[in-house]
Amino acid sequence: MTELLIVSVTALLMIAASAVAGPRLGIASPLVLVAIGVVVSYLPMFAGAHIEPEWILEGVLPPLLYSSAVSMPAMNFRREFGAISGLSVVLVVGTALALGLFFMIVIPDVGFAWGVALGAIISPTDAVATSIIKQTSVSKRVVAMLDGESLLNDATALVLLRTAIVATAATFSFWSSVGEFVYSVLVAVLIGWCVGRLNLMIRKRVTDSTVNTVISFTVPFIASVPAELLGASGLVAAVVAGLITGIRAPRDLSPRNRLSDSQNWRTIELVLEGAVFLTMGLQIRAIVAKVHDDHGGVGTAVLIAAGALILTLAVRAAFVAPLLRVLSSSVRRGEQLQPRLESMQEKMSTDAGKQEMLSRSTSRRTLSEHDIDRLARRVTKGLANIEYFLREPLGSREGAAVVWAGMRGAVTVAAAQTLPEDTPQRSVLVLIAFAVALMSLVVQGGTIGPLLRILPADTDPGESEEQTQTELTRIMEMLRESAQTVPEPPHLDGEPSRETFETARDHRLAVISAQRSALLDARDNGTFDADVLANALANLDATEIAIELRGTLTG
């Protein structure tokens, strides 16, 4: 027990130290932790270190993916959903099939089905590993794509892995596999949505911030465990629960509760992410020793892993290049449509324009004011989407970032160890998966920063700063307008008293509530940049907490 306690405390200190030292050394902290794990694995007490893969897949990944989903801007996720779907489904399947053919050729006694199984293990990018990209100067669209891809591609990979393993012992059915995938995703989405809404319904009635945060720690597991028991994707269920929570929390939960959530979940993320990378490095020695004992050397396996990584990047580049062309074409069509939408928006913003549209209603289609208001919201969203895509173009630099930042990590490492014991050359396959993940982190993670500094940016930083200032000015104007909708409190004569203080406080809180509603409506419409809007909401939250705290102290 004492040894376990010492190891746990030491691990926490290593995680904290790497988070501080990594940026100062110009090295991503996950790489520092992997290196520490490799070194520590040679200590006698860790010689046979083995981490059960279920601890990673079912115990660590659900809360990490849930937390990432909560903090991800929902509007950006929606805007990039087409690209995210392609990257997380089509690319994963294509990569697994290409790798399956490669492994069948280069590894003796490994047929196509087992090759596809290993390809499915290697194909998904990792949400923890892609956190490295957030420490670089890269487009927000790239971050949204990579985040969304890493949140959803695990489901595709794990379903494909199960299908490939079954195909080794039974007849493969394409439509059965498609049906299993659709079932896995749909059931997970339904469970995640229900858990996300139930989570908010319960937590908005809990006023104690500490209790509220403790309840939030259970949400990813309440979503993932039933989904897994029903044969669906627990990871997708946790992600959907997180997306629902992230969208609705500013409306349903108090600022104090959301601040407590944010601070505590950041700590959980730091510890769990650090633990994942430490255990990756820690298990390398045992896996290498197993292959060495079974096959007399590891050189061939490492060479195969290098070839697999190169093939994975080649397939990814071959997919991303036409994807960016399709996205650029869509942006050009939106730009051509922009003047027409602006004209419609201007018309619907006036009473005369609305009356004209109502008068044009036909017997087959009668428009009501509600229909026009709904159309106006759609037009506003459409214009906001066009402005977002024009402001964040995807050029060669962004394409290179999407390709090179697709790193492998915890999912690959954990999934590899779930291969059945009777898998042909199992120890070699596990080592190949580990080697691909490790080389991906070291090569891609260690060079993504310098690569992006070398490649010229497609947008002028000064122009981006100017756009940010313009949006801040628009937000301030919107906040002033929303504050004016709150009636002024009655003027109380005489000396300041408790009654006048409470009246002024209630009025200020009502103003903040109106301003928050305006900001959230703007968020749902995508009117402003997600980061700028998040900062404005955080400032309102801080002001409300300060007012409530002052009221508590003076009360």
Side-chain angles (χ1 to χ4, degrees), residues 121-134:
I121 289 169
I122 294 172
S123 58
T125 58
D126 188 76
V128 181
T130 52
S131 63
I132 295 174
I133 192 66
K134 299 177 184 178

Side-chain angles (χ1 to χ4, degrees), residues 144-214:
M145 286 183 189
L146 293 171
D147 267 348
E149 176 192 9
S150 61
L151 290 177
L152 299 179
N153 61 12
D154 299 332
T156 307
L158 294 177
V159 169
L160 191 57
L161 173 60
R162 288 199 297 264
T163 302
I165 292 175
V166 170
T168 62
T171 304
F172 172 75
S173 171
F174 173 78
W175 292 113
S176 175
S177 301
V178 172
E180 181 183 358
F181 175 74
V182 172
Y183 170 83
S184 176
V185 172
L186 290 181
V187 172
V189 169
L190 178 61
I191 292 175
W193 185 87
C194 292
V195 171
R197 294 306 300 260
L198 183 63
N199 155 49
L200 293 170
M201 288 173 58
I202 294 173
R203 291 174 60 203
K204 72 179 180 181
R205 292 170 171 79
V206 178
T207 56
D208 189 302
S209 299
T210 304
V211 175
N212 206 293
T213 301
V214 169

Side-chain angles (χ1 to χ4, degrees), residues 12 25 39 91 127 146 188 192 205 231 244 271 279 294 314 323 383 433 443 516 521 538:
L12 290 175
L25 297 173
V39 172
L91 180 58
L146 293 171
R205 292 170 171 79
I244 297 298
V271 172
T279 55
D294 292 346
L323 173 65
L383 284 171
V443 177
R516 181 180 291 111
D521 290 340

Side-chain angles (χ1 to χ4, degrees), residues 86-289:
L87 291 168
S88 58
V89 178
V90 179
L91 180 58
V92 169
V93 174
T95 303
L97 294 176
L99 287 173
L101 184 61
F102 172 73
F103 291 134
M104 181 183 69
I105 295 172
V106 299
I107 305 177
D109 303 325
V110 172
F112 182 65
W114 284 117
V116 171
L118 182 56
I121 289 169
I122 294 172
S123 58
T125 58
D126 188 76
V128 181
T130 52
S131 63
I132 295 174
I133 192 66
K134 299 177 184 178
Q135 303 171 18
T136 64
S137 58
V138 71
S139 166
K140 295 172 184 177
R141 291 190 66 186
V142 172
V143 173
M145 286 183 189
L146 293 171
D147 267 348
E149 176 192 9
S150 61
L151 290 177
L152 299 179
N153 61 12
D154 299 332
T156 307
L158 294 177
V159 169
L160 191 57
L161 173 60
R162 288 199 297 264
T163 302
I165 292 175
V166 170
T168 62
T171 304
F172 172 75
S173 171
F174 173 78
W175 292 113
S176 175
S177 301
V178 172
E180 181 183 358
F181 175 74
V182 172
Y183 170 83
S184 176
V185 172
L186 290 181
V187 172
V189 169
L190 178 61
I191 292 175
W193 185 87
C194 292
V195 171
R197 294 306 300 260
L198 183 63
N199 155 49
L200 293 170
M201 288 173 58
I202 294 173
R203 291 174 60 203
K204 72 179 180 181
R205 292 170 171 79
V206 178
T207 56
D208 189 302
S209 299
T210 304
V211 175
N212 206 293
T213 301
V214 169
I215 295 174
S216 77
F217 291 157
T218 68
V219 174
F221 301 107
I222 293 175
S224 63
V225 172
E228 291 289 345
L229 292 176
L230 292 174
S233 172
L235 299 181
V236 171
V239 167
V240 173
L243 289 172
I244 297 298
T245 301
I247 293 170
R248 293 294 310 174
R251 297 187 187 273
D252 292 344
L253 302 182
S254 70
R256 193 187 298 270
N257 287 347
R258 284 185 281 111
L259 179 61
S260 173
D261 272 10
S262 176
Q263 292 174 336
N264 286 283
W265 271 104
R266 278 202 295 269
T267 303
I268 294 293
E269 282 185 357
L270 177 65
V271 172
L272 292 182
E273 287 179 2
V276 165
F277 289 112
L278 269 177
T279 55
M280 273 186 64
L282 199 61
Q283 297 177 85
I284 290 293
R285 183 190 176 192
I287 293 171
V288 169

Side-chain angles (χ1 to χ4, degrees), residues 157-448:
L158 294 177
V159 169
L160 191 57
L161 173 60
R162 288 199 297 264
T163 302
I165 292 175
V166 170
T168 62
T171 304
F172 172 75
S173 171
F174 173 78
W175 292 113
S176 175
S177 301
V178 172
E180 181 183 358
F181 175 74
V182 172
Y183 170 83
S184 176
V185 172
L186 290 181
V187 172
V189 169
L190 178 61
I191 292 175
W193 185 87
C194 292
V195 171
R197 294 306 300 260
L198 183 63
N199 155 49
L200 293 170
M201 288 173 58
I202 294 173
R203 291 174 60 203
K204 72 179 180 181
R205 292 170 171 79
V206 178
T207 56
D208 189 302
S209 299
T210 304
V211 175
N212 206 293
T213 301
V214 169
I215 295 174
S216 77
F217 291 157
T218 68
V219 174
F221 301 107
I222 293 175
S224 63
V225 172
E228 291 289 345
L229 292 176
L230 292 174
S233 172
L235 299 181
V236 171
V239 167
V240 173
L243 289 172
I244 297 298
T245 301
I247 293 170
R248 293 294 310 174
R251 297 187 187 273
D252 292 344
L253 302 182
S254 70
R256 193 187 298 270
N257 287 347
R258 284 185 281 111
L259 179 61
S260 173
D261 272 10
S262 176
Q263 292 174 336
N264 286 283
W265 271 104
R266 278 202 295 269
T267 303
I268 294 293
E269 282 185 357
L270 177 65
V271 172
L272 292 182
E273 287 179 2
V276 165
F277 289 112
L278 269 177
T279 55
M280 273 186 64
L282 199 61
Q283 297 177 85
I284 290 293
R285 183 190 176 192
I287 293 171
V288 169
K290 175 67 173 173
V291 174
H292 192 275
D293 293 341
D294 292 346
H295 302 280
V298 299
T300 302
V302 173
L303 287 175
I304 293 173
L309 179 59
I310 293 172
L311 178 59
T312 299
L313 290 172
V315 172
R316 187 173 180 85
F319 181 84
V320 168
L323 173 65
L324 293 188
R325 285 196 292 270
V326 170
L327 294 176
S328 298
S329 176
S330 176
V331 172
R332 286 194 295 271
R333 289 195 299 269
E335 189 175 12
Q336 294 172 356
L337 189 62
Q338 189 175 18
R340 183 182 175 187
L341 292 178
E342 288 175 342
S343 175
M344 291 178 62
Q345 185 183 51
E346 184 178 358
K347 180 180 292 186
M348 288 184 290
S349 65
T350 63
D351 292 337
K354 290 181 179 179
Q355 289 300 323
E356 180 183 350
M357 296 185 70
L358 288 171
S359 65
R360 290 184 178 180
S361 300
T362 64
S363 57
R364 288 184 301 174
R365 176 60 175 147
T366 302
L367 291 176
S368 65
E369 290 191 10
H370 175 71
D371 293 329
I372 294 177
D373 289 339
R374 187 169 57 183
L375 178 60
R377 287 194 295 271
R378 292 182 62 183
V379 169
T380 299
K381 283 186 178 181
L383 284 171
N385 291 343
I386 293 171
E387 291 175 3
Y388 166 80
F389 292 131
L390 292 174
R391 188 171 62 244
E392 300 280 350
L394 295 176
S396 57
R397 183 175 188 267
E398 286 69 32
V402 173
V403 172
W404 202 246
M407 287 166 274
R408 276 67 195 164
V411 174
T412 294
V413 169
Q417 296 177 83
T418 65
L419 287 171
E421 292 297 331
D422 60 351
T423 301
Q425 303 207 46
R426 182 181 185 276
S427 59
V428 173
L429 301 189
V430 173
L431 176 59
I432 289 172
F434 263 76
V436 169
L438 186 59
M439 286 189 287
S440 174
L441 287 172
V442 173
V443 177
Q444 294 172 248
T447 59
I448 185 67

